[in-house]
């Protein structure tokens, strides 16, 4: 069965610091998909990125970057020069091919960015 | 609307009462999902729809839970004889297609259910 582990429960940083959120996953499938979602205080889960298992190319989008390493089953998320607006709970999730794309979520990491 | 809409945003009910939670997906999205977010269980999958069909109901926590979708659009999650352990945020998501290769789920803001 699939599993997603986010070992960091809560992280506090000062604005402009870089921060990395860790995500480790388990799956027996060779084809799978990894996601990051942001949940601000409003409660809505906001989609950030999706990666498939056969594309290990890292991705950068503005201040956000993602490092996908199959060798360590990790899909880490880095925010560069963090801002107060980045404060939220971040969830890593996994879906496997053939499972109707049901998402298995990690427990989330709460990021607090202060001035 | 532009996004997934859920109503009500908050629902307080007494133990033993029935509740209905509504989800209006993004227009044109064929796949619809229900998840539950609670302190003890985190985010857990409940049920999905492909069109109006729900092939897999195994994620529903008990037979007090049911869901339907009509017209390939609006979905309703019904909880009968609510219990205190049903208290949680119920999240709905929709995706253009079910296929994993093209599936991206967009979530609503959820319904916060409190059972007294």
């Amino acid at each position: 069965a699939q599993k997603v582990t986010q070992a960091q429960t809560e992280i506090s940083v000062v604005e402009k610091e870089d921060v990395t959120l860790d995500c480790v996953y388990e799956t027996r499938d060779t084809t799978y998909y990894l996601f990051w979602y942001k949940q601000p205080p409003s409660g809505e889960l906001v989609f950030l990125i999706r990666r498939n298992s056969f594309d290990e190319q890292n991705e950068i989008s503005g201040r956000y970057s993602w490092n996908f390493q199959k060798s360590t089953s990790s899909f880490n998320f880095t925010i560069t020069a963090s801002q107060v607006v980045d404060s939220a709970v971040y969830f890593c999730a996994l879906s496997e091919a053939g499972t109707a794309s049901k998402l298995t979520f990690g427990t989330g990491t709460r990021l607090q960015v202060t001035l | 609307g532009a996004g997934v809409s859920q109503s009500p945003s908050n629902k307080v009910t007494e133990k033993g009462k029935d509740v209905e939670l509504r989800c209006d997906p993004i227009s044109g999205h064929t796949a619809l999902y229900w998840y539950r977010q609670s302190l003890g269980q985190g985010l857990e999958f409940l049920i999905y729809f492909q069109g109006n069909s729900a092939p897999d109901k195994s994620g529903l926590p008990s037979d007090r839970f049911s869901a339907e979708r009509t017209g390939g659009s609006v979905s309703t999650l019904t909880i009968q004889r609510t219990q205190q352990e049903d208290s949680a945020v119920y999240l709905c998501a929709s995706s253009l297609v079910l296929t994993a290769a093209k599936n991206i789920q967009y979530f609503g803001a959820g319904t916060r259910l409190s059972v007294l």
Side-chain angles (χ1 to χ4, degrees):
Chain A
Q2 64 269 37
K3 183 180 179 182
V4 177
T5 301
Q6 294 180 256
Q8 303 152 308
T9 305
E10 191 161 346
I11 300 175
S12 292
V13 298
V14 177
E15 200 175 43
K16 297 183 184 176
E17 286 185 10
D18 299 347
V19 58
T20 295
L21 309 181
D22 297 334
C23 173
V24 174
Y25 62 91
E26 296 176 29
T27 176
R28 293 178 183 167
D29 272 20
T30 56
T31 301
Y32 53 90
Y33 304 87
L34 296 164
F35 301 79
W36 276 95
Y37 283 87
K38 174 182 179 180
Q39 189 175 43
S42 62
E44 185 171 337
L45 280 165
V46 177
F47 167 75
L48 295 178
I49 190 170
R50 188 188 92 134
R51 302 299 290 178
N52 59 50
S53 54
F54 37 91
D55 182 2
E56 283 192 77
Q57 190 171 19
N58 292 328
E59 184 155 337
I60 298 174
S61 176
R63 296 184 295 107
Y64 295 171
S65 61
W66 291 270
N67 184 304
F68 176 27
Q69 292 195 335
K70 290 178 74 170
S71 61
T72 55
S73 296
S74 65
F75 185 43
N76 296 338
F77 174 28
T78 297
I79 302 174
T80 302
S82 59
Q83 299 177 1
V84 172
V85 293
D86 296 327
S87 297
V89 180
Y90 291 85
F91 289 94
C92 181
L94 166 75
S95 73
E96 296 172 333
T99 62
S101 308
K102 293 181 283 187
L103 292 172
T104 297
F105 287 89
T107 50
T109 297
R110 181 178 298 278
L111 174 65
Q112 185 72 36
V113 182
T114 56
L115 294 171
Chain B
V4 177
S5 178
Q6 292 187 247
S7 60
S9 55
N10 282 284
K11 177 71 176 179
V12 181
T13 190
E14 294 179 352
K15 179 181 170 181
K17 294 284 179 70
D18 297 352
V19 295
E20 283 190 356
L21 313 180
R22 176 188 167 105
C23 173
D24 203 340
I26 294 172
S27 178
H29 280 198
T30 61
L32 185 147
Y33 300 80
W34 284 97
Y35 293 85
R36 179 168 73 171
Q37 185 174 24
S38 58
L39 283 175
Q41 302 297 324
L43 269 159
E44 55 179 339
F45 166 81
L46 297 179
I47 191 170
Y48 79 92
F49 288 88
Q50 170 63 4
N52 293 333
S53 174
D56 179 10
K57 296 182 171 64
S58 62
L60 295 176
S62 78
D63 58 9
R64 296 184 294 103
F65 287 71
S66 63
E68 66 174 12
R69 189 180 184 193
T70 55
S73 181
V74 172
S75 176
T76 302
L77 178 68
T78 301
I79 309 174
Q80 295 180 310
R81 305 180 303 281
T82 51
Q83 303 294 312
Q84 288 183 334
E85 63 260 28
D86 299 335
S87 296
V89 177
Y90 290 82
L91 292 164
C92 176
S94 70
S95 174
L96 188 60
V97 295
L98 190 75
T99 309
K102 299 181 180 180
N103 184 287
I104 295 176
Q105 294 175 35
Y106 297 93
F107 284 78
T111 294
R112 181 176 297 278
L113 175 66
S114 299
V115 182
L116 305 179

Coordinates of all heavy atoms in Angstrom, one line a residue, chain A residues 67-105:
Chain A
N67 N 12.5 19.0 -5.7 CA 13.6 18.1 -5.9 C 13.0 16.7 -5.8 O 12.7 16.2 -4.7 CB 14.7 18.3 -4.9 CG 15.9 17.4 -5.2 OD1 15.8 16.2 -5.3 ND2 17.1 18.0 -5.4
F68 N 13.0 15.9 -6.9 CA 12.4 14.6 -7.0 C 13.5 13.6 -7.1 O 14.3 13.7 -8.1 CB 11.4 14.5 -8.1 CG 10.8 13.1 -8.4 CD1 10.7 12.2 -7.3 CD2 10.4 12.7 -9.6 CE1 10.1 11.0 -7.5 CE2 9.8 11.5 -9.8 CZ 9.7 10.6 -8.8
Q69 N 13.7 12.7 -6.2 CA 14.8 11.7 -6.3 C 14.2 10.3 -6.0 O 13.8 10.0 -4.9 CB 15.9 12.0 -5.2 CG 16.7 13.3 -5.5 CD 17.9 13.4 -4.7 OE1 18.0 12.8 -3.7 NE2 18.9 14.1 -5.2
K70 N 14.1 9.5 -7.1 CA 13.6 8.2 -7.0 C 14.5 7.3 -6.1 O 14.0 6.4 -5.4 CB 13.4 7.6 -8.3 CG 12.2 8.2 -9.1 CD 12.1 7.6 -10.5 CE 11.5 6.2 -10.4 NZ 11.1 5.8 -11.8
S71 N 15.8 7.6 -6.1 CA 16.7 6.7 -5.4 C 16.4 6.8 -3.9 O 16.7 5.8 -3.2 CB 18.1 7.1 -5.7 OG 18.4 8.5 -5.3
T72 N 15.9 7.9 -3.4 CA 15.6 8.0 -2.0 C 14.1 8.1 -1.7 O 13.7 8.4 -0.6 CB 16.3 9.2 -1.4 OG1 15.9 10.4 -2.2 CG2 17.8 9.1 -1.4
S73 N 13.3 7.9 -2.8 CA 11.9 8.1 -2.7 C 11.5 9.4 -2.0 O 10.7 9.4 -1.1 CB 11.3 6.9 -1.9 OG 11.5 5.7 -2.6
S74 N 12.0 10.4 -2.5 CA 11.8 11.7 -1.9 C 11.3 12.8 -2.9 O 11.7 12.7 -4.1 CB 13.0 12.2 -1.1 OG 14.0 12.5 -2.0
F75 N 10.5 13.7 -2.4 CA 10.0 14.7 -3.3 C 9.9 16.0 -2.4 O 8.9 16.4 -1.9 CB 8.6 14.3 -3.9 CG 8.1 15.3 -4.9 CD1 8.8 15.9 -5.9 CD2 6.7 15.7 -4.8 CE1 8.3 16.7 -6.8 CE2 6.2 16.5 -5.8 CZ 7.0 17.1 -6.7
N76 N 11.1 16.6 -2.3 CA 11.2 17.8 -1.4 C 10.8 19.1 -2.0 O 11.1 19.3 -3.2 CB 12.6 17.8 -0.8 CG 12.8 16.6 0.1 OD1 11.9 15.9 0.5 ND2 14.1 16.3 0.3
F77 N 10.4 20.0 -1.2 CA 9.9 21.3 -1.7 C 10.6 22.4 -1.0 O 10.7 22.4 0.2 CB 8.4 21.3 -1.4 CG 7.7 22.6 -1.6 CD1 8.1 23.5 -2.6 CD2 6.6 23.0 -0.9 CE1 7.4 24.7 -2.9 CE2 5.9 24.2 -1.1 CZ 6.3 25.1 -2.1
T78 N 11.2 23.3 -1.8 CA 12.0 24.4 -1.2 C 11.4 25.7 -1.6 O 11.0 26.0 -2.7 CB 13.5 24.4 -1.7 OG1 14.1 23.2 -1.2 CG2 14.2 25.6 -1.2
I79 N 11.2 26.6 -0.6 CA 10.8 27.9 -0.8 C 12.0 28.8 -0.5 O 12.6 28.8 0.6 CB 9.6 28.3 0.2 CG1 8.4 27.4 0.0 CG2 9.2 29.8 -0.1 CD1 7.3 27.6 1.0
T80 N 12.3 29.6 -1.5 CA 13.5 30.5 -1.4 C 13.0 31.9 -1.0 O 11.9 32.3 -1.5 CB 14.2 30.6 -2.8 OG1 14.6 29.3 -3.2 CG2 15.4 31.5 -2.7
A81 N 13.7 32.5 -0.1 CA 13.3 33.9 0.3 C 11.9 33.9 0.8 O 11.0 34.6 0.2 CB 13.6 34.9 -0.7
S82 N 11.6 33.1 1.8 CA 10.2 33.0 2.3 C 9.6 34.3 2.6 O 10.2 35.3 3.0 CB 10.2 32.0 3.5 OG 11.0 32.6 4.5
Q83 N 8.2 34.3 2.5 CA 7.5 35.5 2.8 C 6.3 35.1 3.8 O 5.9 34.0 3.9 CB 6.9 36.1 1.5 CG 7.9 36.5 0.5 CD 7.3 37.0 -0.8 OE1 6.0 37.1 -0.9 NE2 8.1 37.4 -1.7
V84 N 5.8 36.1 4.5 CA 4.7 35.8 5.4 C 3.6 35.2 4.8 O 2.9 34.3 5.4 CB 4.3 37.2 6.1 CG1 3.1 36.9 7.0 CG2 5.4 37.7 7.0
V85 N 3.3 35.5 3.5 CA 2.2 34.9 2.8 C 2.4 33.4 2.5 O 1.4 32.7 2.1 CB 1.9 35.6 1.5 CG1 1.4 37.0 1.7 CG2 3.1 35.6 0.6
D86 N 3.6 32.9 2.7 CA 3.8 31.5 2.5 C 3.4 30.7 3.8 O 3.4 29.4 3.7 CB 5.3 31.2 2.3 CG 5.9 31.8 1.0 OD1 5.1 31.9 0.1 OD2 7.0 32.3 1.0
S87 N 3.0 31.3 4.8 CA 2.6 30.6 6.0 C 1.3 29.8 5.7 O 0.3 30.4 5.2 CB 2.3 31.6 7.1 OG 3.4 32.3 7.5
A88 N 1.4 28.5 5.9 CA 0.3 27.6 5.6 C 0.7 26.2 6.0 O 1.8 26.0 6.5 CB 0.0 27.6 4.1
V89 N -0.2 25.3 5.8 CA 0.1 23.9 6.0 C 0.3 23.3 4.5 O -0.5 23.5 3.6 CB -1.0 23.1 6.7 CG1 -0.6 21.6 6.8 CG2 -1.3 23.7 8.0
Y90 N 1.4 22.6 4.4 CA 1.8 22.1 3.1 C 1.6 20.5 3.1 O 2.2 19.9 4.0 CB 3.2 22.5 2.6 CG 3.3 24.0 2.3 CD1 3.5 24.9 3.4 CD2 3.1 24.4 1.0 CE1 3.6 26.2 3.1 CE2 3.2 25.8 0.8 CZ 3.4 26.7 1.8 OH 3.5 28.0 1.5
F91 N 0.9 20.0 2.1 CA 0.7 18.6 2.0 C 1.4 18.0 0.8 O 1.3 18.5 -0.3 CB -0.8 18.3 2.0 CG -1.5 18.5 3.3 CD1 -2.1 19.7 3.5 CD2 -1.6 17.5 4.3 CE1 -2.8 20.0 4.7 CE2 -2.2 17.8 5.4 CZ -2.9 19.0 5.6
C92 N 2.1 16.9 1.0 CA 2.6 16.1 -0.1 C 1.6 14.9 -0.3 O 1.0 14.4 0.7 CB 4.0 15.6 0.3 SG 4.8 14.6 -0.9
A93 N 1.4 14.5 -1.5 CA 0.4 13.5 -1.8 C 0.9 12.6 -2.9 O 1.7 13.0 -3.8 CB -1.0 14.0 -2.1
L94 N 0.3 11.4 -3.0 CA 0.7 10.4 -4.0 C -0.5 9.7 -4.6 O -1.5 9.5 -3.8 CB 1.6 9.3 -3.3 CG 1.8 8.0 -4.0 CD1 2.9 8.1 -5.1 CD2 2.3 6.9 -3.0
S95 N -0.5 9.5 -5.9 CA -1.5 8.6 -6.5 C -0.8 7.6 -7.4 O 0.2 7.9 -7.9 CB -2.6 9.5 -7.2 OG -2.0 9.9 -8.4
E96 N -1.5 6.5 -7.5 CA -0.9 5.4 -8.3 C -1.8 5.2 -9.5 O -3.0 5.4 -9.5 CB -0.8 4.1 -7.5 CG 0.1 4.2 -6.3 CD 0.0 3.0 -5.4 OE1 -1.0 2.3 -5.4 OE2 1.0 2.7 -4.7
A97 N -1.2 4.8 -10.6 CA -1.9 4.5 -11.8 C -2.9 3.4 -11.5 O -2.6 2.4 -10.8 CB -0.9 4.1 -12.9
G98 N -4.1 3.5 -12.0 CA -5.1 2.4 -11.9 C -5.8 2.5 -10.6 O -6.6 1.6 -10.3
T99 N -5.7 3.5 -9.8 CA -6.4 3.6 -8.5 C -7.5 4.7 -8.6 O -7.9 5.2 -7.6 CB -5.5 3.9 -7.4 OG1 -4.8 5.2 -7.6 CG2 -4.4 2.9 -7.2
A100 N -7.9 5.1 -9.8 CA -8.8 6.2 -10.0 C -8.2 7.5 -9.4 O -9.0 8.4 -9.0 CB -10.2 5.9 -9.3
S101 N -6.9 7.6 -9.3 CA -6.2 8.8 -8.9 C -6.5 9.2 -7.5 O -6.4 10.4 -7.2 CB -6.5 9.9 -9.9 OG -6.3 9.5 -11.2
K102 N -6.9 8.3 -6.7 CA -7.1 8.6 -5.3 C -5.8 9.1 -4.7 O -4.8 8.5 -4.8 CB -7.6 7.4 -4.5 CG -9.0 6.9 -4.9 CD -9.4 5.7 -4.1 CE -8.7 4.4 -4.6 NZ -9.3 3.2 -3.9
L103 N -5.9 10.2 -3.9 CA -4.7 10.8 -3.3 C -4.5 10.2 -1.9 O -5.4 10.2 -1.1 CB -4.8 12.3 -3.3 CG -4.8 13.0 -4.6 CD1 -5.1 14.5 -4.4 CD2 -3.5 12.9 -5.3
T104 N -3.3 9.8 -1.7 CA -2.8 9.5 -0.3 C -2.0 10.7 0.2 O -1.0 11.0 -0.5 CB -2.0 8.2 -0.3 OG1 -2.9 7.1 -0.7 CG2 -1.5 7.9 1.1
F105 N -2.4 11.3 1.2 CA -1.7 12.5 1.7 C -0.8 12.1 2.9 O -1.0 11.2 3.7 CB -2.7 13.5 2.3 CG -3.5 14.2 1.2 CD1 -4.7 13.7 0.7 CD2 -3.0 15.4 0.7 CE1 -5.4 14.3 -0.3 CE2 -3.8 16.1 -0.3 CZ -4.9 15.5 -0.8

